[in-house]
Amino acid sequence: MDLDFSDNFIAKGKISIKELATKYKGDLDKEAGKKMLLDEKIKLRELQERLYADSGKSLLVVLQAMDAAGKDSLIEHVFGGVNPQGCEVHSFKTPSSKEYSHDFLWRHYLALPEKGKIGIFNRSHYESVLVCKVHPDYNLNEKVWNSVSDFDDKFWQERYESIRNFEKHLSENGTTVIKIFLHISKEAQKKRFLDRIDEQDKNWKFSMGDLPERALWDEYMKAYERAINETSKDHAPWFVIPGDDKWFARVAAIQIIIDALEGMDLKFPKLSEADQKELEGARKQLESE
């Protein structure tokens, strides 16, 4: 089955979050999807090995979503088969006092993947135009502005511009950037929250702070819509994946990631003639022992 998830879910032009599906309605069924995921994990590991050997490029995968959308489990199921030496996950929580003492991108620069590696941002620099847009008073922790009234449209436009410039700089210096938004419905989030409450082994996942944030659902959807529209570029595209069915979100995500790696034209290093002669000498020495 030939499914082009990269083309189907890329955010082109101006999107409307309300008009985008949260549930997969295609022909792929769950069992076939699970098998496809296993096959694609083998391909992803092979591509990661090639990325590591090439050592001239890197991949940054940005994951954003509402609470309970399945970011953590997606990382586990998609990247569970890759070599951990070539893949790093960074989960960004509320900035520390030290992080607040720098510009909002500083801590994200520190977490960027080295050449030859895959970096995963579980939440990211976009929190500064998502959570901080819904709660603008959070920006006061940066101690640069005096009041919430400072956060006008000009302020937000400058934030989007900083993010666009940051990602453009990365793309021009060997890092491919792809950004994935797991788009779930409010109903799906409710069900997952109730599962966390009802199932004892999931109780630890639930926080009472989740409910006040859920009450701001519409404000978050507006913030996501604008952030995606302002920052989805050819060199750093956004992909909006239906997230109500976790199995499907994982299949779509891994294929988008594989497409990005395949587009990097990765090659295993070729040895020079002198190096090949040295290898042949090493072979002879070993065989003579």
Side-chain angles (χ1 to χ4, degrees), residues 35-69:
K35 183 180 183 305
M36 183 182 290
L37 180 63
L38 292 175
D39 293 339
E40 297 294 73
K41 286 173 76 171
I42 295 171
K43 189 184 297 184
L44 178 59
R45 184 180 178 90
E46 292 170 350
L47 284 165
Q48 183 224 358
E49 182 181 3
R50 192 177 299 175
L51 174 71
Y52 192 83
D54 184 282
S55 72
K57 301 168 186 175
S58 58
L59 175 67
L60 175 63
V61 180
V62 173
L63 284 177
Q64 288 286 161
M66 294 294 285
D67 292 327

Side-chain angles (χ1 to χ4, degrees), residues 41-281:
K41 286 173 76 171
I42 295 171
K43 189 184 297 184
L44 178 59
R45 184 180 178 90
E46 292 170 350
L47 284 165
Q48 183 224 358
E49 182 181 3
R50 192 177 299 175
L51 174 71
Y52 192 83
D54 184 282
S55 72
K57 301 168 186 175
S58 58
L59 175 67
L60 175 63
V61 180
V62 173
L63 284 177
Q64 288 286 161
M66 294 294 285
D67 292 327
K71 297 186 302 300
D72 292 351
S73 62
L74 184 145
I75 292 170
E76 177 186 355
H77 284 83
V78 168
F79 293 98
V82 302
N83 186 337
Q85 291 186 97
C87 184
E88 296 178 348
V89 181
H90 292 273
S91 297
F92 293 98
K93 307 297 184 183
T94 302
S96 65
S97 58
K98 179 177 181 178
E99 289 167 340
Y100 270 131
S101 70
H102 294 270
D103 70 272
F104 79 98
L105 289 171
W106 178 77
R107 64 176 180 159
H108 305 289
Y109 268 108
L110 297 180
L112 289 172
E114 302 171 23
K115 286 182 172 60
K117 292 189 177 183
I118 297 173
I120 304 158
F121 282 5
N122 185 353
R123 299 190 185 275
S124 66
H125 45 293
Y126 280 92
E127 294 297 283
S128 293
V129 291
L130 295 170
V131 174
C132 291
K133 198 164 195 305
V134 175
H135 299 282
D137 54 301
Y138 289 2
N139 292 308
L140 296 176
N141 290 318
E142 295 180 29
K143 299 178 181 178
V144 177
W145 297 274
N146 297 316
S147 71
V148 174
S149 63
D150 291 329
F151 309 127
D152 55 11
D153 194 60
K154 180 176 180 293
F155 169 85
W156 295 113
Q157 285 290 358
E158 289 173 349
R159 282 270 149 126
Y160 297 128
E161 184 177 10
S162 292
I163 289 173
R164 289 192 296 266
N165 291 339
F166 171 56
E167 293 173 350
K168 188 169 187 293
H169 171 75
L170 295 181
S171 70
E172 291 173 344
N173 287 273
T175 299
T176 295
V177 182
I178 56 173
K179 301 169 293 191
I180 294 173
F181 173 52
L182 298 180
H183 186 28
I184 65 167
S185 64
K186 195 172 183 182
E187 293 72 24
Q189 188 195 59
K190 176 182 177 179
K191 181 181 183 304
R192 292 177 190 180
F193 278 167
L194 288 171
D195 287 344
R196 291 178 178 185
I197 292 171
D198 294 339
E199 298 176 30
Q200 191 172 8
D201 61 348
K202 292 184 179 180
N203 288 169
W204 65 274
K205 292 184 176 182
F206 186 79
S207 167
M208 289 306 296
D210 292 336
L211 297 184
E213 293 301 284
R214 176 175 165 81
L216 298 169
W217 185 275
D218 290 343
E219 286 83 352
Y220 272 107
M221 291 301 102
K222 290 177 184 175
Y224 268 108
E225 181 175 290
R226 186 170 181 191
I228 291 170
N229 285 333
E230 292 279 356
T231 63
S232 190
K233 302 296 178 183
D234 289 343
H235 59 268
W238 272 105
F239 296 89
V240 182
I241 297 177
D244 284 1
D245 299 300
K246 287 186 177 181
W247 68 266
F248 175 75
R250 294 163 187 164
V251 171
I254 198 169
Q255 291 208 337
I256 289 167
I257 292 161
I258 284 172
D259 284 350
L261 287 166
E262 288 180 336
M264 294 164 71
D265 192 27
L266 302 168
K267 294 181 173 63
F268 287 106
K270 286 188 175 180
L271 295 181
S272 66
E273 188 175 337
D275 288 336
Q276 288 176 354
K277 286 181 178 178
E278 283 190 1
L279 277 183
E280 189 58 33

